[in-house]
């Protein structure tokens, strides 16, 4: 998982994953949507593929990329306790705010 975090540390790779979230796309489509050159996008896709975050299929001369969710599920599972921590903190804040007098009801 450490290598997955290292791969996701790059904002361009996260943006590529965001673009692939809704379905597979060819490299040229990714290049059109990003402010990167085709060789740069291809390098990022190679890193994502080697990390197991994307999969590629060849169709004639085009390569189509899509997200592989399994490594992301591992990260989600790792983040779950932190999410609960934040939820508990927000619940405590909500309870505290509920006990405060309403604005304008002070006397």
């Amino acid at each position: 998982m450490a290598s997955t975090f290292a791969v996701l540390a790059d904002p361009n790779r996260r943006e590529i994953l965001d673009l692939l979230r809704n379905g597979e796309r060819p490299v040229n489509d990714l290049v059109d949507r990003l402010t990167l050159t085709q060789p740069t996008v291809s390098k990022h896709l190679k890193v994502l593929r080697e990390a197991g975050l994307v999969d590629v299929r060849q169709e004639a001369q085009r390569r189509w990329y899509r997200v592989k969710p399994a490594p992301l599920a591992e990260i989600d599972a790792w983040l779950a306790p932190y999410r609960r921590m934040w939820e508990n903190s927000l619940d405590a804040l909500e309870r505290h705010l509920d006990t405060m007098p309403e604005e304008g009801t002070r006397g």
Side-chain angles (χ1 to χ4, degrees):
M1 186 171 16
S3 65
T4 303
F5 279 115
V7 169
L8 293 176
D10 186 287
N12 292 313
R13 292 185 201 127
R14 290 193 310 269
E15 190 172 0
I16 289 170
L17 287 177
D18 286 344
L19 290 170
L20 295 174
R21 187 176 44 215
N22 294 324
E24 66 181 7
R25 294 176 183 267
V27 175
N28 290 339
D29 186 50
L30 295 171
V31 170
D32 290 344
R33 294 174 181 272
L34 300 166
T35 57
L36 303 171
T37 65
Q38 191 278 330
T40 302
V41 172
S42 291
K43 287 179 185 178
H44 285 301
L45 286 167
K46 180 181 178 187
V47 172
L48 289 165
R49 193 175 67 248
E50 289 174 352
L53 291 164
V54 298
D55 197 16
V56 62
R57 72 176 174 88
Q58 186 92 21
E59 184 178 282
Q61 297 300 318
R62 297 178 96 179
R63 290 184 180 183
W64 291 78
Y65 288 85
R66 65 179 166 258
V67 172
K68 286 179 67 177
L72 297 172
E74 291 177 25
I75 290 175
D76 184 57
W78 183 82
L79 287 170
Y82 297 95
R83 226 181 342 269
R84 284 191 296 275
M85 179 181 72
W86 275 104
E87 289 168 0
N88 291 339
S89 296
L90 291 173
D91 289 344
L93 175 62
E94 181 179 24
R95 287 189 300 275
H96 173 72
L97 293 174
D98 286 344
T99 64
M100 294 180 68
E102 296 275 335
E103 188 71 28
T105 59
R106 294 180 195 165

